[in-house]
Amino acid sequence: MTTPPTSLAPTADADRPQAGAGAGLPDQSTLIRIGRSCICYQTRMTAHAVTRAYNRALAPLGVEVTQFNILAALATAKTGSVTALSDALALDRTTMTRNLKRLEALDLVRVSNGPGRAVRPELTANGISLLAAAIPLWEAEHAKMESAVGAQVWTETREGLRTIRRALKDCEA
């Protein structure tokens, strides 16, 4: 039995589309249009940049902005269950539970059993203290970002994001 010449042997790249004519790839203008207009892509890039900025600001306290938001939501006392907290912060229950376990391990949150299978998260004294220390850092970073884009742009952007969330929530219903 003979082996085929090496020039005809399949390579790891044999099934992968190659750039260039006839490869079936969309043209560059289509890809650029998608990158510029895709709501998901644009909001994720922005969310990552904003998250990094807030995380840097809150780093001296050892807390990330996601944790800060959970602590702040718990402080409003409008979120008496994991489900309500998840809904308020637009996180799925699994992600919220994982975050609460981390906060509980840091003694920032206490999770107690409610009626039936309900689980009730609440701030500990350490959580209240950390939240109080974090608020000025958050406010300074927020003011810096708002100043960078301008109050009007931020107001319009915030309202636009709320409109998108409401429209998508209506589509899911």
Side-chain angles (χ1 to χ4, degrees), residues 69-83:
N69 288 331
I70 292 169
L71 297 175
L74 286 171
T76 66
K78 295 179 184 175
T79 53
S81 70
V82 173
T83 300

Side-chain angles (χ1 to χ4, degrees), residues 74-121:
L74 286 171
T76 66
K78 295 179 184 175
T79 53
S81 70
V82 173
T83 300
L85 185 60
S86 298
D87 291 345
L89 296 176
L91 293 172
D92 62 78
R93 259 184 73 83
T94 304
T95 301
M96 181 58 69
T97 300
R98 186 174 52 248
N99 280 301
L100 288 171
K101 285 182 181 181
R102 290 179 187 149
L103 292 169
E104 193 173 26
L106 295 170
D107 191 36
L108 301 174
V109 168
R110 176 178 29 261
V111 179
S112 58
N113 293 326
R117 293 180 42 197
V119 178
R120 180 181 155 87

